[in-house]
Amino acid sequence: MSANKIDAALLARMFLAGAKNLELKKEWINELNVFPVPDGDTGTNMTMTIMSAVKEVQELDKITVKDLAKAISSGSLRGARGNSGVILSQLLRGFTKAIRDEEEIDAKLLAAAAQKAVETAYKAVMKPKEGTILTVAKGVAEKAAQLSEEDMELSEFLGQVLEHARQVLEQTPEMLPVLKEAGVVDSGGQGLVTVLEGACDAFLGKEIPLDFSVPSTEKKPAEISGSVPLAEADIKYGYCTEFIILLTRALTDAEEQGFKEYLMSIGDSVVLVADEEIVKVHVHTNDPGLAIQKALTFGALTRMKIDNMREEHHERVIKNAEKLAKEQEQPREAETPLKEVGFISVSVGDGFNEIFKGLDVDYLIEGGQTMNPSTEDMLNAIRQVPAKTIFIYPNNKNIILAANQAAGLTKDKKILVIPTKTIPQGITAIINYAPEKSAEENAEIMGEMIRTVRTGQVTYAVRDTHIDDKEIRQGDIMAVGDSGILAVGQDILTVSMETVDAMMKDEAELISIYYGEGFSGEEAEKLGAMVSEKYPDCDVEVNEGGQPVYYCIISVE
């Protein structure tokens, strides 16, 4: 291999080193959050996203650029969490598309791949904002394109591109005033630079320990509303068979449907999720070889797993597998057709869970600020809901992109993502669902209604900062609104009351208070009484949310 080219083995080391560097610095990146809340999670989201790809890479039997590209792309795509994680996954997806058919990579191909990465990421974001990870990625692509026309060693090329990325990152506060006021650079951009730094170190031959604590993909923050333990039953099909197909080409809709029907003819509990590069398969069958032989006609197999369910029938893991299988199988039975509409909501806290269940939400995904659900979590939820059309309520601005990404990967159901940024918005959206109207009409109505909901979330500051013309000290009680800091003080009740005042408008009719950890029901009722006395023309509701991190969440609509 030329010193000016990167082969598959070196590319793998560079990717893993970039991921390791991000893992090591994730907490530092978390602390770059503009608002000094105790749930800054950009570093965590980006790390969990890239670790999903690391797991795919580590399970490759052989390292080729093509297989490596597929592993990085599919792993990051399905593991993507939060806006920063989704954007990182799209950058990796675009980059790997440009290199996957080559055996070695030079400066010109790196420049083309960087440009493809930027194009792919910008398309994934509805309203791209400069001064973010996108700006840093664009700077990398522009510098790489410029340098690729010059005659230089690849080490120098990579070094200059990295230095330019750092310079662009340092300029992000000048592009986003909120960053400048908080005295930080963009956290997502810092995460990208951190990955690039690790990759460059690997190219230069620096010793980097690649020991990862890759989180298990089996543990998902999701639960089915009203689910109950499944009693032991006779096992019709003895082998739980799972694998991933690394496609030689994207399946057509007809091929995907035909493969799914074939799997159903040899077993049950069929789960098949496909994108243009991979197909994830789960089936219970008495002859795993038949499923494998058919799958091999579409590409190579990886992550193969076959469990003898009869042999392990009494083990808890098999009980859970059978529970999942039953839930997957039921919607396919002729006597149990898919219902017209289903609902999936992200929720956090027992109180909010009960509220959503009372609104007939089919599936709750446990998550939120401190644990953003991944694209794969969204796909799992979609598979569990037996409905032709499914509404998804992310209830957090950092989860909307992952929901949209899951919607784009779903082909057999209509998925409508309602862009709810807070849990109160999600509750309002669901309440306004009108069964007599079409799905599109409901989506439009819900979109209009959530814009009438103002939300304030009361928590504590984890560091000193100055933002929104407010001096904030570590330990202060503060309220974060839809677009900035609403109130700062020393007392939860006082700050909560000031939060209501800051959100009030003449047309307000309903004020809702949801109390969480660290704020008792008695204190919440006292706050409700204070609000009722000051705003007698508004209805005031006090409910238990049970949410962590935020003492109370208040909405005005």
Side-chain angles (χ1 to χ4, degrees):
M1 181 190 70
S2 165
N4 277 330
K5 291 189 177 181
I6 299 170
D7 64 8
L10 178 55
L11 181 62
R13 287 198 300 276
M14 292 173 69
F15 170 72
L16 293 174
K20 184 62 181 180
N21 201 37
L22 181 61
E23 181 188 48
L24 291 172
K25 297 179 180 178
K26 66 180 179 182
E27 294 302 333
W28 170 59
I29 295 170
N30 282 342
E31 292 173 3
L32 295 176
N33 192 29
V34 169
F35 297 119
V37 294
D39 58 7
D41 54 6
T42 298
T44 299
N45 283 334
M46 294 183 76
T47 298
M48 294 186 76
T49 298
I50 207 167
M51 286 303 156
S52 181
V54 166
K55 191 173 190 299
E56 296 273 352
V57 170
Q58 289 180 325
E59 292 180 354
L60 289 176
D61 293 329
K62 61 177 181 177
I63 300 293
T64 65
V65 172
K66 190 177 189 67
D67 289 346
L68 184 62
K70 285 184 177 180
I72 293 172
S73 176
S74 64
S76 61
L77 180 71
R78 294 175 183 279
R81 295 175 186 270
N83 291 346
S84 55
V86 170
I87 293 171
L88 177 61
S89 75
Q90 292 298 324
L91 288 170
L92 292 171
R93 186 175 178 81
F95 184 89
T96 54
K97 273 186 179 180
I99 65 168
R100 63 188 177 189
D101 294 324
E102 305 296 330
E103 293 184 3
E104 291 184 332
I105 303 164
D106 58 13
K108 286 188 179 295
L109 184 53
L110 282 174
Q115 182 58 42
K116 184 65 175 178
V118 170
E119 292 171 1
T120 304
Y122 267 85
K123 287 178 182 177
V125 180
M126 188 171 296
K127 294 180 180 179
K129 184 182 293 186
E130 296 307 323
T132 66
I133 182 176
L134 292 171
T135 306
V136 177
K138 184 168 67 174
V140 166
E142 290 172 349
K143 189 66 174 180
Q146 173 196 333
L147 294 177
S148 67
E149 300 299 324
E150 301 181 17
D151 183 20
M152 64 175 63
E153 293 292 316
L154 192 52
S155 57
E156 184 181 355
F157 170 87
L158 292 173
Q160 288 195 34
V161 169
L162 175 58
E163 182 56 35
H164 186 71
R166 291 171 175 148
Q167 292 172 7
V168 175
L169 176 64
E170 290 301 318
Q171 291 302 309
T172 55
E174 302 302 321
M175 303 176 207
L176 277 179
V178 68
L179 294 175
K180 188 171 185 177
E181 187 179 7
V184 296
V185 297
D186 178 68
S187 55
Q190 181 64 70
L192 178 59
V193 169
T194 300
V195 172
L196 296 176
E197 287 173 339
C200 286
D201 283 347
F203 178 83
L204 295 173
K206 294 184 180 180
E207 288 295 325
I208 302 169
L210 300 180
D211 52 325
F212 294 95
S213 300
V214 181
S216 170
T217 57
E218 297 302 314
K219 185 177 181 180
K220 303 177 178 66
E223 65 172 26
I224 299 169
S225 299
S227 63
V228 295
L230 188 68
E232 289 189 7
D234 292 335
I235 298 175
K236 184 177 180 182
Y237 296 101
Y239 296 95
C240 176
T241 306
E242 298 178 76
F243 52 81
I244 288 177
I245 309 172
L246 303 173
L247 296 171
T248 54
R249 60 173 178 78
L251 297 183
T252 64
D253 290 342
E255 287 174 326
E256 183 180 339
Q257 185 59 33
F259 185 29
K260 190 178 296 185
E261 291 174 355
Y262 175 77
L263 293 173
M264 292 170 62
S265 74
I266 64 169
D268 64 11
S269 310
V270 175
V271 178
L272 189 151
V273 181
D275 63 19
E276 61 186 23
E277 297 178 343
I278 70 165
V279 178
K280 190 171 184 177
V281 175
H282 172 282
V283 61
H284 289 181
T285 178
N286 284 327
D287 193 341
L290 294 175
I292 290 170
Q293 288 174 21
K294 183 70 173 179
L296 285 169
T297 64
F298 300 118
L301 304 187
T302 186
R303 296 186 65 180
M304 299 177 66
K305 181 172 176 285
I306 300 173
D307 288 327
N308 184 330
M309 294 191 295
R310 292 189 179 96
E311 180 179 306
E312 303 174 3
H313 180 67
H314 296 290
E315 295 186 15
R316 180 66 181 172
V317 66
I318 298 303
K319 287 183 183 178
N320 290 338
E322 283 300 291
K323 172 184 172 182
L324 173 61
K326 191 70 175 178
E327 287 154 357
Q328 294 286 348
E329 184 179 1
Q330 283 176 346
R332 303 184 183 279
E333 295 175 0
E335 65 272 21
T336 311
L338 295 177
K339 62 181 182 177
E340 291 299 318
V341 179
F343 303 91
I344 295 171
S345 178
V346 176
S347 179
V348 57
D350 292 339
F352 279 125
N353 291 349
E354 290 304 314
I355 291 172
F356 283 121
K357 289 176 182 178
L359 294 172
D360 294 327
V361 170
D362 295 275
Y363 197 104
L364 295 178
I365 302 177
E366 291 283 358
Q369 283 295 93
T370 54
M371 175 54 74
N372 293 158
S374 67
T375 300
E376 183 69 18
D377 292 327
M378 294 286 179
L379 289 170
N380 287 331
I382 290 168
R383 289 195 290 269
Q384 296 293 335
V385 177
K388 297 176 184 176
T389 298
I390 299 174
F391 290 92
I392 298 181
Y393 306 91
N395 298 337
N396 186 300
K397 64 181 181 181
N398 211 28
I399 300 175
I400 294 172
L401 280 182
N404 286 334
Q405 192 153 273
L409 291 172
T410 302
K411 300 179 181 179
D412 57 345
K413 298 175 182 177
K414 178 190 287 187
I415 308 298
L416 295 172
V417 177
I418 308 302
T420 52
K421 296 180 180 179
T422 65
I423 290 181
Q425 283 190 347
I427 292 171
T428 294
I430 297 171
I431 288 174
N432 281 278
Y433 173 75
E436 71 278 6
K437 297 184 182 295
S438 70
E440 290 73 18
E441 287 174 324
N442 270 294
E444 184 176 351
I445 291 170
M446 288 187 241
E448 292 173 357
M449 293 307 299
I450 64 178
R451 287 191 286 273
T452 69
V453 180
R454 293 180 287 281
T455 307
Q457 304 182 85
V458 180
T459 185
Y460 60 92
V462 295
R463 70 171 189 274
D464 296 350
T465 190
H466 179 89
I467 190 169
D468 294 338
D469 295 324
K470 292 179 174 65
E471 285 294 334
I472 301 173
R473 301 298 178 190
Q474 183 177 349
D476 281 353
I477 305 300
M478 65 178 186
V480 182
D482 298 320
S483 58
I485 302 295
L486 298 177
V488 179
Q490 302 298 315
D491 176 70
I492 298 175
L493 275 175
T494 302
V495 171
S496 298
M497 194 66 219
E498 292 176 357
T499 301
V500 176
D501 295 339
M503 294 191 294
M504 283 300 294
K505 291 188 177 180
D506 292 340
E507 70 273 17
E509 298 176 350
L510 174 64
I511 301 170
S512 299
I513 300 167
Y514 303 93
Y515 61 93
E517 295 177 6
F519 196 56
S520 69
E522 291 76 12
E523 290 172 309
E525 291 293 345
K526 183 177 180 180
L527 173 62
M530 293 165 59
V531 173
S532 294
E533 182 178 356
K534 187 167 185 178
Y535 300 103
D537 293 334
C538 289
D539 292 328
V540 178
E541 295 183 354
V542 177
N543 297 285
E544 180 183 5
Q547 70 276 3
V549 179
Y550 294 98
Y551 299 118
C552 63
I553 296 175
I554 304 169
S555 66
V556 174
E557 53 191 296

